[in-house]
Amino acid sequence: MLTPGRSGACDVAPAADSAATPGFHFLQTPGPTNVPGRVLRAMGAPTIDHRGPQFASLTLEILAGMQELLRTDQPVVIFPASGTGAWEAALVNTLTPGARVLAFDTGHFARLWAEVASRLGFDAELIDGEWSRGVSESELERRLSADPRGELAAVLLVHNETSTGVVNDIASCRAAIDRSGHPALLLVDTVSSLGSIDYRHDEWRVDVTVGASQKGLLLPSGLSFNVPSERALAAAKVAGGARAYWDWRPVLEANSQGYFPYTPPTNLLFGLREALSMLREEGLDAVFVRHSRHGAATRCAVDAWGLQTVCQESERASAVVTAVLAPDGSDEREIRRVILDRYGVSLGAGLGALAGKAFRIGHIGDFNDAMLIGVLGTVELGLGAAGVPCDRSGVAAAVRWLAG
Ligand code: PLP
């Protein structure tokens, strides 16, 4: 088994921000994440002809690797884009403008996806939700049952809500949709769970999975993914809106021979091949367990500091990001500023309704116990330096948990 983290920050460390801050800069946002040295080196290889035979075998190998990662036999569509592009692609391929879609106000990214849908001319209904708990399956079932004419064309769910650190139970949401007997397509965002939290496209009968490269997939931003089910592919044949760049059909056709209908980001694809190898070598199950240990250890530290996480349901707590509420009278922006300026660690900002209220500790991607202890130790130092009242026993609690 590989030692995650060894090949990353300790191997090809990102440059320190300035000569005044020696040592490694820790990128502990929940994405982009620390890119392992192996992946950086793979991306540094000379670019090859994207119409040549070598390229076709690269594409076919990567597409098979992505199917393995997403636990699917369905085709995987890769776009040179960030996750937002893949959100748009999922919508425009399956739905006709004016179609109604259902989303839940359970975090910044859930809201943003619904907003993207509205801006594209879909009729997005955003159901009130709790940012501290995630999507209510009973509410989902109730809303779909109240639509006997099947006017809602799709349900948009975020698997791991990166702004809150809450994981939605996609299998249970699928079961709720099934109980309602509603035909809506199920579209799921795995941007911050792909490659770090267990996810099963086929088993959970997801219609379009949306993903991106810059988090658990160990790459910089720039690749995003759609996985369409058979139903989604059928919907794509009749969807009535204009699409060109995001159209799955020319991509699938060219991919079948190992090519793309436009100039692909070859060096990111070199990186993806290496990242998939690293995940395979460690073993996907081991990758998931590693993240979940780090999530649990982080929550032990937060608890010992006397602070609270945004997520209020332990069984929904994210393995990859912990959003921590800044206590009354303190501002997460100031806490993060002190931690970055004094100790060179970047934490995730509070997003949307949590701006100023919660900072986020990313424990995702190429990351190991030593890095986690370093990051938690730094947060503990930073909380003290920022004058936030807290018990200095968080690191000890995390270490005890990791040891036990
Ligand atoms: N969905 C989730 C869950 C995210 O965390 C993000 C970004 O962090 C996005 C979508 C948007 O992706 P991108 O910023 O790559 O466009």
Side-chain angles (χ1 to χ4, degrees):
M1 193 159 103
L2 291 185
T3 307
R6 193 185 55 191
S7 53
C10 309
D11 177 356
V12 180
D17 273 349
S18 78
T21 52
F24 301 150
H25 171 77
F26 277 66
L27 181 60
Q28 294 321 131
T29 67
T33 61
N34 298 292
V35 179
R38 270 178 68 177
V39 172
L40 289 173
R41 282 189 292 276
M43 289 192 301
T47 303
I48 58 172
D49 173 14
H50 65 281
R51 301 192 196 281
Q54 232 188 322
F55 191 87
S57 53
L58 169 71
T59 307
L60 296 173
E61 183 185 338
I62 286 169
L63 292 175
M66 287 302 296
Q67 285 179 312
E68 200 184 320
L69 182 69
L70 284 144
R71 303 197 201 262
T72 184
D73 293 328
Q74 288 300 113
V76 177
V77 180
I78 302 180
F79 290 110
S82 79
T84 304
W87 271 348
E88 178 161 343
L91 296 165
V92 299
N93 277 284
T94 52
L95 306 169
T96 298
R100 292 180 63 190
V101 300
L102 185 66
F104 291 82
D105 185 4
T106 46
H108 179 66
F109 292 103
R111 262 191 198 175
L112 268 187
W113 196 7
E115 199 181 302
V116 166
S118 297
R119 283 159 60 187
L120 287 166
F122 303 106
D123 180 5
E125 176 179 333
L126 190 64
I127 295 204
D128 276 349
E130 289 185 68
W131 282 36
S132 56
R133 298 189 192 280
V135 174
S136 152
E137 293 91 3
S138 56
E139 183 60 16
L140 171 61
E141 183 179 348
R142 189 203 59 73
R143 180 64 190 91
L144 291 178
S145 302
D147 179 33
R149 290 205 304 225
E151 286 173 358
L152 289 161
V155 176
L156 315 185
L157 299 179
V158 176
H159 185 208
N160 181 75
E161 175 52 73
T162 328
S163 63
T164 59
V166 175
V167 179
N168 289 308
D169 183 339
I170 302 302
S172 298
C173 290
R174 172 79 261 172
I177 297 173
D178 290 348
R179 280 194 302 275
S180 74
H182 198 286
L185 294 170
L186 173 59
L187 277 46
V188 179
D189 169 326
T190 65
V191 168
S192 58
S193 56
L194 185 60
S196 48
I197 300 176
D198 193 12
Y199 181 80
R200 295 155 187 268
H201 175 90
D202 287 1
E203 188 180 319
W204 298 343
R205 300 196 341 275
V206 175
D207 291 299
V208 187
T209 295
V210 169
S213 54
Q214 72 272 22
K215 300 179 189 267
L217 211 39
L218 313 173
L219 288 157
S221 174
L223 294 178
S224 64
F225 311 94
N226 274 179
V227 187
S229 67
E230 287 302 329
R231 282 183 75 215
L233 289 170
K237 286 191 183 142
V238 294
R243 61 206 126 129
Y245 185 73
W246 301 118
D247 196 339
W248 292 335
R249 292 163 298 186
V251 182
L252 291 173
E253 197 185 321
N255 277 179
S256 65
Q257 305 303 313
Y259 298 101
F260 285 81
Y262 43 72
T263 312
T266 303
N267 289 57
L268 276 173
L269 298 177
F270 286 157
L272 177 56
R273 175 167 58 187
E274 194 65 24
L276 289 168
S277 297
M278 289 180 70
L279 293 172
R280 199 177 304 115
E281 286 164 26
E282 187 182 352
L284 262 192
D285 290 336
V287 171
F288 300 149
V289 168
R290 171 165 59 82
H291 283 91
S292 118
R293 281 180 75 242
H294 289 159
T298 303
R299 293 191 296 281
C300 284
V302 174
D303 211 33
W305 289 327
L307 302 182
Q308 289 212 329
T309 58
V310 171
C311 179
Q312 291 296 306
E313 276 190 27
S314 55
E315 64 281 10
R316 291 188 174 220
S318 172
V320 302
V321 55
T322 302
V324 184
L325 288 166
D328 284 347
S330 57
D331 187 317
E332 57 88 13
R333 288 170 283 219
E334 178 58 10
I335 297 170
R336 282 188 299 106
R337 189 193 63 74
V338 168
I339 290 173
L340 179 61
D341 286 358
R342 292 211 188 178
Y343 310 110
V345 173
S346 292
L347 299 176
L351 294 176
L354 291 171
K357 297 188 179 145
F359 62 88
R360 294 171 302 146
I361 304 173
H363 27 86
I364 172 167
D366 192 48
F367 195 63
N368 61 24
D369 288 9
M371 293 162 86
L372 179 71
I373 293 165
V375 171
L376 294 176
T378 309
V379 174
E380 196 162 303
L381 278 172
L383 288 168
V388 176
C390 76
D391 194 308
R392 301 244 170 130
S393 58
V395 179
V399 169
R400 257 197 317 277
W401 197 92
L402 289 170

